[in-house]
Structures are given as structure tokens and as C-alpha cells.
Amino acid sequence: MYNTNFSRAPMRSCLKLRAHGTFPFNVQHSALGRNLKHVDSTVGGFKYGICDRRRRHLSATAAKDVFTITTPLYYVNAAPHMGSAYPTIAADTLARFQRLQGQTVHFLTGTDEHGEKIALAAEKRGMSPQAHCDSIVQEYRTLWELLDIKYDHFVRTTEAKHTQLVHEVLKKVWDKGDIYKADYEGWYCVDCEEFKDEKEMDEHKNCPTHRKPCQLRKEGNYFFRLSRYQNEIEQLLTSNEDFVQPAARRNELLAFVKEGVRDFSISRSAVTWGIPIPQDPEQTVYVWFDALNGYLSGLLPEGIEPSPESLSAAGWPATLHVIGKDILRFHAVYWPGMLLSAGLPLPGKVFGHGFLTKDGLKMGKSLGNVIDPVALVRAYGADAVRFYFMKETIFGQDGDFSEQRFRDVVNAALANNIGNMLQRTLSLLHRDFGGRIVVGSDTGLSPDHPFRALAKEQVQTAHTAYSTMSFHEAVEAIVLLCSKGNQYLDETKPWTALKKGSDEEKAAASAVLCAVLELLRVAAVALQPVTPSLSRRVYSQLGYSDAEFEVIRWTDAVWGGLKEGHQTAQPAAIFGRMEGDFVTEPAPAAAASASSGVSKDQPAAGKKQKAAKPKVAVSSP
């Protein structure tokens, strides 16, 4: 379902078809072309219009405080890369934010494991398709653990419960008359697993994404009558501006739909590695009709029969699908059509994010220009990786990766602004006050202390930004808060007063220390969705237990948490500066020397190197 960066590009092929039923390819059905608000559907025993149905389900979801978010189901043709990790980090960030607000979260991720490309990848490795899938799935699970991804559901499309659900949905759609058989012919990209229009390819019939020749194929397969739902889908996009985000992508998609949606293939006769169609075992379910249903099967507990009622109880409809912009049409056009046909509610929103690029090209396994996220996280830690991509890439736009930029950003914000500030402040508190909070942030500090208003303002900014998936703005708001803390320390110089100041000056210095520590506590709560482990370490240094950290909520990001008499922990380094050799690209000096020859003691340009263990930079008080 999802290859390369986030997966296959949209299928809008120029096919030659001959229908084996009463409906030819791409015929508009005027009898069903009614306005969306007048189309009735029965779901779970209730009959209501489609627009109304979406509103009722979404309002019911909100009433139950349930938030269901999904990532793409990643295609297991090869090991995961940073392009796979990026949307998963984003989804995990939003899921953690919703949990902080007390929501019941269903965070679903998983793997798409069927299709020709999988079979070919397995053959190249000398493995069975299932053994190949098992090995790659384990790599995904390992990476998610390394990246501190806290998912609630992990679906595999080779699971028995998924096959059962696909058969159930297929039967509903089949019985409704929305499936027919047709011959087709067109140019097929194996890597995309979809047919290409002539205008999409270059003069040599190469796929624009994978830069490989497409193959001319002719097959007889089953098609889904997406064209039957033209009016409903168009009305969905025009009446609900939030259904597809960002707005620019919604506009592009609406223009595509207004040209007339086309029926699409849901089976393959030449691909054996897939779910057989019960009505015709010679055919297997095409990956998109297979994998999209993973959003349903993944939510269902083992042993629960699929039904509108059981899906609703499990968290469907999804509040949000997070997917790459290249598969937006599948999720915002084809998927709604399938759900409408099956009589199931639609998701609340589809967000198509941008690509990660390297040297200006979309990062993808097929192109071989990927960044190994395992090497990156093992060298620098999950917090650094999560922080950088959430701060430096505007979610919804493309973002390029530079390891030097990565180090500069993370060192400045996490090593200096947070790690160093916390350690030097705690060191002074322990040296002069035994680590005890002597001025409570709730009542001891002045009501008009500038940090109170600043913390309230920045936390609200972060809250709004998280809620709208503007993760970079959320991070920047909290980074600014910490920067002001460092600036305050440098301006007030409490270490000077504590060494040789008057009693009054020492009292003022102690208030400075407590104010800075409270600011860091607030920042730790607000950054928890992005840097969960770092936030935990900050809380630990401030004297809180793991159990206390586990139950924090967004309301804890309010000023006044550190009370007078509270005991902090012995100061220790919580985040070190990132130094040493690069792990994804040569260091600037090595790259420069590569053009004139590489010395014996210097690594060759392009060779991956192990990163030195981070060193902790601590300023003297």
C-alpha cells in the first residue's frame, strides 16, 4: 500500500477497458447522482443522510472523548527509512498531545504486506513472501520502539482477522452491485503498483517517481464503481473544507474530482501473493482495496466479528488519517467511495503531509537515497530525532535533511537551552540550598513575575499549534520559553549574588533559581508530545517520580507546580551536545578533502561513520 517515502502515487490510468457487465468504465450513473445530503444510508440500524451521518459520528466520537489517528500502512518491500519514520513521529506527537488532554486515543499503524512488489523482493532475498514480510515487520517494530512510538494498534494485512474483514467488505460492495469485471490495458509501474497515464511518463515510458520503465500490461480484473459516488465525493469535498488538509491539497483534489472520478481495479489475476477473492479464487484483491481496509481490521480486537457496531465500539470512524501527499487521492476519493458502498462512516479528516527530500529528490527506497533512521537514532537518541523533524519541517510541506543542521538545531535547543540550563540551575540550588525549593512558584514568586505571563502565552500558543498539526510552531513556542529562561539567568547572574551578595540579594537569587526551574517544568510538560524521554528526565531531575510523570496532563503546564519545600534530585546531565563523525553523510571537512584526495586518517566522503558519544556541555555557575 505504501512504498518509497510514504507510498504509491495516485492511480488515474489511461486504460482501455471492455466491461463484462452492464456498466462500462467511467460511466456516470445519473440515477445515483443525487446531491449528497439527499442520499440515505443505513449504518448500525440508523438511517440518515451521508453528510448528517458524518456529523453524528464525529459528534458521538467527541462526546466519548475518543481520538483515532492512523499512519499509512507501510509497504514492506524493504527496510523502513526516515520517510517512513517522519509521519509516524508526527502521528505519535499528536496522539500523545491528545492523551495529555484526557482523550481516549486509538493510535493505529501497521504494514501492507501483499502485492507483486513484495513477492519480487522476497524472491530476490531467497525467502518466501511471508518470511520476508515477517523480517521487515520486525524492523518496523524495532524502529518504532527506538523512536519511542507509543502506538495502540499494529495491523498486518497478512493477519487472519484482516482477511476476514476484507472478505466482509468485499461481499457488501459486491452484493450492492458495485463490482464488475473488465479487461484493461495500460502502462504499469511495478514499484508504484499502479497504471500510469501517458502524460505522467516521460518519452521513454519511465515512471516519474521511480525513474524506471513502465511495463505494458493487459489483464481481465474486477473493478469498483467509484463513478457511482461522483456526486457524493464531490459534495464531501465542497461542503467540508476540513476533510482534506492542507487547503492547497484539497483544492487540487477537488479539481481532480470535478473532472470525473474513474472506476478502479480491485483485483489482479497475475499476482498470487494476496488475498483470494472468494467469488473468483483465480484473482487476488488489489493492494489498495486490501490495505485501506486495514484501518478497520486493525482497530478490531481478536475474535470480534466485523460490523458497524463493533467498529464503532473499537474507535471507527478515524478522527484523522495522516498520509503522504502522493496517496491523498486514494484516501480522500477512493476510500470514501468504498466506505459509502459498504455502508460505513467516513473518517473525519485526511492530512496529506509533504516529503522528506535529499538532494532535492523525494526520499525513497526504490531510489536508494534514504536516510537510515536506526543509525540516526542509535547515534543521537529518539528525542533529538523527533525534535528536529517536528521543529524544522512544516508539516504539510516538503523538508530537506542536513546532518549539520540537525546537530546545530538540537544542540542549541536541547543541549544548551534545556539540558545545560537545568543542570547549572540545579547545581546552584544544591550547593546553596541543599536542592530544596525555597521560594514556591505558586505563592512565593511575585504575581506579576514576567515568567507567569510568558509561560501562559507560550503554552497556549503550543496548544493551538498542536491542535492544528503545526508542530513546528508548538516546538518554537516552548523553545522561546526556555531561551527566555537562559537569558534571565545570564542577566540576573544568581551565582554572583549567592557567592558574595547581601541576604536580600541571596533571597532574590534563590527566587531566580526557583522561577527558572518552574519554567523548565512547564516546558517539560508542553514538550512531552515531541520529546517524551527528555521530558521524563527533566521531571526526574526536578524530584518527581516516574509514577507522577505518567499521570501528567496538559493542565500541568500551568504555572505554580513547584511548591516551597519540594526536594529536587542530585543534578545530572540529561542531554549532551552532539559531536563526532557524521552517520548519514561526510562531515564538511571530509567532504571538502574528498575532491583533492582523502588522507589516511580521514574518512572517505560518503562513507558512513559512527557518531562519537555525545559530550555534556555544562557552564560553570
Side-chain angles (χ1 to χ4, degrees), residues 222-396:
Y222 291 96
F223 280 74
F224 172 68
R225 299 187 198 282
L226 183 65
S227 56
R228 175 174 280 182
Y229 300 95
Q230 166 76 36
N231 288 355
E232 290 92 330
I233 293 170
E234 186 172 337
Q235 182 67 17
L236 171 66
L237 294 173
T238 55
S239 64
N240 184 355
E241 294 185 356
D242 289 333
F243 180 65
V244 173
Q245 291 292 319
R249 303 235 160 86
R250 171 186 165 274
N251 294 336
E252 292 172 3
L253 197 66
L254 187 56
F256 166 81
V257 170
K258 285 184 175 181
E259 291 179 5
V261 297
R262 301 181 183 184
D263 300 349
F264 65 92
S265 172
I266 65 158
S267 74
R268 287 288 181 270
S269 60
V271 178
T272 58
W273 180 240
I275 298 174
I277 292 181
Q279 295 85 345
D280 186 351
E282 295 298 316
Q283 302 251 355
T284 55
V285 179
Y286 175 54
V287 284
W288 283 106
F289 201 93
D290 171 358
L292 285 168
N293 280 301
Y295 296 133
L296 305 178
S297 66
L299 290 173
L300 285 176
E302 290 289 344
I304 301 298
E305 293 290 323
S307 69
E309 294 81 8
S310 62
L311 286 168
S312 177
W316 187 262
T319 313
L320 172 68
H321 286 317
V322 173
I323 50 96
K325 63 182 180 181
D326 58 342
I327 52 174
L328 184 59
R329 292 177 186 174
F330 287 106
H331 285 75
V333 177
Y334 301 148
W335 182 221
M338 291 164 54
L339 291 168
L340 290 170
S341 178
L344 294 171
L346 309 185
K349 179 180 291 188
V350 181
F351 193 99
H353 62 77
F355 297 144
L356 293 185
T357 59
K358 189 176 182 183
D359 301 324
L361 294 175
K362 171 189 169 185
M363 198 181 296
K365 289 174 280 191
S366 298
L367 291 179
N369 64 339
V370 299
I371 294 172
D372 181 5
V374 174
L376 203 63
V377 73
R378 289 195 187 281
Y380 301 118
D383 288 314
V385 176
R386 293 170 64 104
F387 180 88
Y388 176 80
F389 284 103
M390 291 300 94
K391 180 182 183 298
E392 288 299 296
T393 302
I394 297 175
F395 201 60

Side-chain angles (χ1 to χ4, degrees), residues 7-121:
S7 116
R8 279 190 284 291
M11 179 176 70
R12 194 171 187 213
S13 51
C14 182
L15 306 180
K16 300 174 184 177
L17 289 104
R18 184 177 69 255
H20 290 271
T22 59
F23 293 97
F25 175 67
N26 202 30
V27 170
Q28 301 298 314
H29 306 287
S30 58
L32 290 160
R34 293 165 287 185
N35 188 286
L36 183 63
K37 65 183 179 183
H38 298 305
V39 179
D40 291 327
S41 180
T42 301
V43 180
F46 297 96
K47 186 176 182 181
Y48 38 79
I50 292 170
C51 277
D52 195 40
R53 179 180 66 202
R54 284 192 67 257
R55 286 195 291 269
R56 294 191 188 190
H57 274 279
L58 289 174
S59 62
T61 297
K64 294 186 293 184
D65 294 326
V66 173
F67 186 88
T68 300
I69 182 171
T70 72
T71 71
L73 303 189
Y74 299 105
Y75 209 51
V76 295
N77 60 307
H81 59 89
M82 202 61 232
S84 313
Y86 172 58
T88 312
I89 293 170
D92 184 68
T93 295
L94 188 54
R96 287 177 181 274
F97 171 68
Q98 295 295 338
R99 291 190 191 104
L100 282 179
Q101 297 193 99
Q103 296 281 314
T104 297
V105 173
H106 294 283
F107 173 20
L108 181 147
T109 187
T111 47
D112 171 15
E113 303 178 28
H114 289 133
E116 179 180 3
K117 193 173 178 180
I118 301 296
L120 291 173

Side-chain angles (χ1 to χ4, degrees), residues 113-114 118 122 127-135 156 158 273:
E113 303 178 28
H114 289 133
I118 301 296
M127 304 172 71
S128 69
Q130 188 64 63
H132 164 83
C133 290
D134 291 344
S135 69
R156 298 185 59 181
T158 52
W273 180 240

Side-chain angles (χ1 to χ4, degrees), residues 420-597:
N420 191 25
M421 178 166 60
L422 176 62
Q423 189 171 14
R424 64 175 177 159
T425 305
L426 276 181
S427 295
L428 288 170
L429 191 72
H430 275 262
R431 188 192 70 186
D432 292 273
F433 304 102
R436 187 173 62 88
I437 298 295
V438 293
V439 180
S441 61
D442 51 347
T443 59
L445 294 174
S446 170
D448 59 355
H449 193 288
F451 279 1
R452 288 181 184 270
L454 179 65
K456 181 179 181 180
E457 176 186 333
Q458 297 307 108
V459 167
Q460 182 56 53
T461 297
H463 183 280
T464 301
Y466 280 130
S467 300
T468 57
M469 288 175 282
S470 299
F471 303 117
H472 67 292
E473 292 181 358
V475 172
E476 286 169 358
I478 306 308
V479 168
L480 175 61
L481 187 63
C482 295
S483 296
K484 293 296 185 181
N486 261 320
Q487 181 182 342
Y488 186 60
L489 278 178
D490 292 337
E491 289 174 352
T492 56
K493 296 180 172 57
W495 48 86
T496 301
L498 290 172
K499 278 187 177 181
K500 51 188 178 182
S502 64
D503 289 344
E504 185 178 349
E505 290 171 331
K506 288 181 179 179
S510 68
V512 169
L513 300 183
C514 295
V516 169
L517 293 175
E518 173 64 7
L519 180 146
L520 280 164
R521 187 197 65 79
V522 171
V525 176
L527 268 182
Q528 188 266 7
V530 178
T531 58
S533 294
L534 177 63
S535 293
R536 182 185 297 274
R537 294 195 296 274
V538 171
Y539 248 58
S540 177
Q541 280 286 279
L542 292 176
Y544 295 102
S545 66
D546 269 355
E548 289 173 304
F549 179 77
E550 287 295 334
V551 297
I552 63 170
R553 290 291 182 264
W554 187 261
T555 51
D556 291 307
V558 174
W559 190 268
L562 284 175
K563 305 294 193 289
E564 183 178 345
H566 178 80
Q567 184 65 42
T568 61
Q570 284 292 328
I574 62 165
F575 198 95
R577 288 185 60 80
M578 301 186 301
E579 299 170 340
D581 295 328
F582 285 2
V583 297
T584 65
E585 57 192 64
S593 66
S595 60
S596 59

